Amino acid sequence: DRATCRIISGRPEAARIDLETAQSTGSDRSHWYAHCWVLLVSGYCNLGDLDTAEQLLREWIVIHPESPDPHRWLAQVYEDQSRRDEALAEYNEAIRLWRGNGDAERGDIYMACREYEKAIADYSRTLEEHPERSLVYKRRGAAYMWLKEYDKAVADIGKAVELEPTDTSTLTWYPPSLLGECPQEVQDRFLALANKVVRANPTRGYAARGSLLAGLGQHQQALADFENAIELGDSSYYTRYQQALLRLGLHDQLKYRE
């Protein structure tokens, strides 16, 4: 408990002493101990001390060689350092130790390496065991989009919307430049799904759809969406900034100065 408080207060070195004491007294086998160790690694990562984070994870692997968790965390540390081959090796080890729980994370590495077929294979294995994970549908949909397999991409996006209709991040998961390369019919189908999200979550949905429309060059419609979002109570800096940019682009100088 004291280690947790010290981590939260930004004192990872003091917390580390407490965790080492817990280890020496045989308390290191508990779930709570593992949770504290994760918090400690997070503390060093937040401080930008990735070398210490890596060292701690290596120690964790020695203490708990059967656990996939330190390998998953180590992979993320390597990702932050753009050490993708090493990250992939750690994800593979995590998957070996805990089958079915690390495929999606390894898929993200394949996406970063632009190995979209391998990413799709990993995402598909995850969805076989966890068909309720809407985020994985979004990720796989993006991989299909890059491969120009548009029907499969739209199907996955539609499934994500079905699972979480109020989640506006579905509309911001795909770069507008990528959508802009799609046939018009595919863009129309994607916008139809965006309309469903707006109906389910108007305040945030209008802003998300506005970003999408702006990226597709539909500036007048995008401006209308941002203004609808503001009217409904969205006062975020991003929404107002995008509204101002669009007003400027459409030569509405007076409103822009507001």
Side-chain angles (χ1 to χ4, degrees), residues 83-95:
R83 296 160 64 181
R84 290 175 176 167
D85 289 343
E86 292 167 279
L88 188 58
E90 293 301 329
Y91 277 130
N92 283 333
E93 182 62 13
I95 291 169

Side-chain angles (χ1 to χ4, degrees), residues 142-213:
Y144 280 132
M145 191 77 78
W146 281 109
L147 293 174
K148 302 186 185 302
E149 296 187 33
Y150 298 125
D151 287 339
K152 293 180 179 179
V154 173
D156 273 358
I157 298 164
K159 185 63 176 179
V161 171
E162 177 187 327
L163 289 169
E164 293 191 63
T166 62
D167 184 3
T168 59
S169 71
T170 303
L171 306 185
T172 58
W173 196 260
Y174 310 93
S177 58
L178 181 60
L179 289 171
E181 297 175 0
C182 300
Q184 185 61 50
E185 181 265 341
V186 175
Q187 293 182 25
D188 291 343
R189 291 166 63 190
F190 191 87
L191 287 172
L193 292 171
N195 294 339
K196 289 185 178 181
V197 176
V198 172
R199 287 194 293 271
N201 186 357
T203 304
R204 300 188 64 181
Y206 274 120
R209 189 178 66 181
S211 297
L212 174 64
L213 290 167

